[in-house]
């Protein structure tokens, strides 16, 4: 913009100079004409002399004057042409300067304009937020209801909810229950699962018959004891012959005042029915199932908070 203003000022100054030059030329011609006229008016001569002089000098002076006049015209024409050429040259030069200045100004303005760019947002991470609600479930087990919300994190720092899931889990670390506390549920399970318990015992006795051993006698008290063991395994989420309180499995018989000289226990988790549990035990501990040492049997089944099923059989003499 500064160059454009400078060019405009230059043009104005140039035009002013041309105007002043024209005025000066006019002023120079006028005094010369005025002086000649004055000299002519002041000259004293008589009319006859004047006529004679004019007549004599007409022929002599006409042609030179014509030549001089022609020369002056040619000079003026050449001068005007030169002036015109000079003006044209200056105008052309000035036009070029103005054009260059305008071009540079436009280019400079274009360079100074802010560049607007559009950046597409992209997902750069996924964030998971949880809200948990804990409640006491049973025997010291804690129920945990969790709502998990997922967010997509974008490149500009914003986040948008993408998914939400709810689920329930259990904390078994604080399980604590005595035999007497488990007794009511063990007896309820014995009634609920009576048909499956009968099938399980029949499957075991079938293996004994195949081995030439007499069938085991079903004991209701042993079924209660096996039910207690299955229940405490289900709520402690531990498949073990050691009870959650650290005692040996056979301590449940003492808790229920069941007399025995020898006893053994077989356990399983999530077996495919009574036949599946009996088959697994026979493959792994056939010597127990077909032992002539044991005369009585009891079986129990319990399902934990998360749907896992625990199986237990107790043999005594």
């Amino acid at each position: 913009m500064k160059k454009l203003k400078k060019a405009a000022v230059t043009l104005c100054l140039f035009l002013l100079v041309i105007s002043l030059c024209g005025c000066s030329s006019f002023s120079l011609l006028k005094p010369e004409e005025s002086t000649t006229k004055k000299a002519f008016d002041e000259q004293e001569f008589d009319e006859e002399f004047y006529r004679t002089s004019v007549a004599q000098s007409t022929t002599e002076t006409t042609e030179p004057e014509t030549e001089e006049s022609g020369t002056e015209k040619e000079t003026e024409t050449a001068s005007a042409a030169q002036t015109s050429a000079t003006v044209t040259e200056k105008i052309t030069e000035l036009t070029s300067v103005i054009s260059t200045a305008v071009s540079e100004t436009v280019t400079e303005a274009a360079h100074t304009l802010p560049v607007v760019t559009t950046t597409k947002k992209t997902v750069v991470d996924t964030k998971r937020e949880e809200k948990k609600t804990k409640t006491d479930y049973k025997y010291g087990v804690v129920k945990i209801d969790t709502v998990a919300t997922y967010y997509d994190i974008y490149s500009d720092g914003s986040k948008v909810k993408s998914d939400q899931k709810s689920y329930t889990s259990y904390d078994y670390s604080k399980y604590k229950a005595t035999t007497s506390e488990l007794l009511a549920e063990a007896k309820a399970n014995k009634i609920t699962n009576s048909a499956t318990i009968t099938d399980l015992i029949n499957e075991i006795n079938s293996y004994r018959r195949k081995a030439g051993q007499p069938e085991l006698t079903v004991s209701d008290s042993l079924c209660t004891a096996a039910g207690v063991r299955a229940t405490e395994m289900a709520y402690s989420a531990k498949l073990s012959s050691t009870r959650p309180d650290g005692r040996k499995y056979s301590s449940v018989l003492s808790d229920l005042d069941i007399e025995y000289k020898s006893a053994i226990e077989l356990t399983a988790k999530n077996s495919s029915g009574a036949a599946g549990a009996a088959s697994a035990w026979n493959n792994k501990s056939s010597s127990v199932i077909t032992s002539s040492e044991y005369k009585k049997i009891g079986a129990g089944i319990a399902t934990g908070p998360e749907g896992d099923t625990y199986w237990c059989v107790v043999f005594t003499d």
Side-chain angles (χ1 to χ4, degrees), residues 193-259:
N193 299 314
S194 60
T196 305
I197 290 172
T198 299
D199 290 341
L200 179 59
I201 294 173
N202 287 338
E203 290 287 339
I204 292 173
N205 278 331
S206 69
Y207 288 113
R208 287 182 65 87
R209 288 193 299 270
K210 292 177 183 179
Q213 296 292 336
E215 294 182 1
L216 298 171
T217 302
V218 179
S219 168
D220 185 66
S221 59
L222 287 179
C223 284
T224 300
V228 170
R229 286 286 296 124
T231 302
E232 65 185 6
M233 284 190 291
Y235 284 98
S236 64
K238 291 181 179 180
L239 182 67
S240 174
S241 292
T242 300
R243 301 182 71 183
D245 61 5
R247 294 186 295 165
K248 191 178 179 179
Y249 68 89
S250 58
S251 64
V252 71
L253 301 176
S254 300
D255 291 344
L256 295 175
D257 298 326
I258 298 173
E259 295 182 1

Side-chain angles (χ1 to χ4, degrees), residues 123 125-129 148-154 159-165:
V123 178
D125 196 8
T126 300
K127 186 178 181 181
R128 182 176 185 268
E129 296 181 359
T149 305
Y150 298 85
Y151 296 92
D152 287 335
I153 308 300
Y154 286 86
K159 67 177 184 178
V160 177
K161 180 180 175 181
S162 59
D163 195 9
Q164 188 174 71
K165 296 179 180 180

Side-chain angles (χ1 to χ4, degrees), residues 117-160:
T117 58
T118 303
T119 304
K120 184 179 180 181
K121 294 195 303 181
T122 57
V123 178
V124 296
D125 196 8
T126 300
K127 186 178 181 181
R128 182 176 185 268
E129 296 181 359
E130 288 186 347
K131 182 179 180 181
K132 295 184 177 182
T133 303
K134 298 182 178 182
T135 55
D136 292 333
Y137 185 68
K138 193 183 287 187
Y139 310 129
V141 177
V142 177
K143 180 182 179 183
I144 305 172
D145 293 312
T146 302
V147 177
T149 305
Y150 298 85
Y151 296 92
D152 287 335
I153 308 300
Y154 286 86
S155 52
D156 64 351
S158 62
K159 67 177 184 178
V160 177

Side-chain angles (χ1 to χ4, degrees), residues 178-194:
T178 63
T179 299
S180 60
E181 290 171 339
L182 297 171
L183 193 57
E185 187 165 350
K187 289 180 177 181
N189 286 337
K190 182 171 64 175
I191 296 172
T192 301
N193 299 314
S194 60

Side-chain angles (χ1 to χ4, degrees), residues 253-293:
L253 301 176
S254 300
D255 291 344
L256 295 175
D257 298 326
I258 298 173
E259 295 182 1
Y260 68 97
K261 290 181 180 180
S262 61
I264 196 168
E265 175 186 83
L266 297 176
T267 59
K269 178 183 177 180
N270 293 332
S271 295
S272 55
S279 176
W281 287 326
N282 185 63
N283 292 335
K284 185 177 180 179
S285 306
S286 60
S287 59
V288 174
I289 289 178
T290 60
S291 174
S292 59
E293 182 181 0

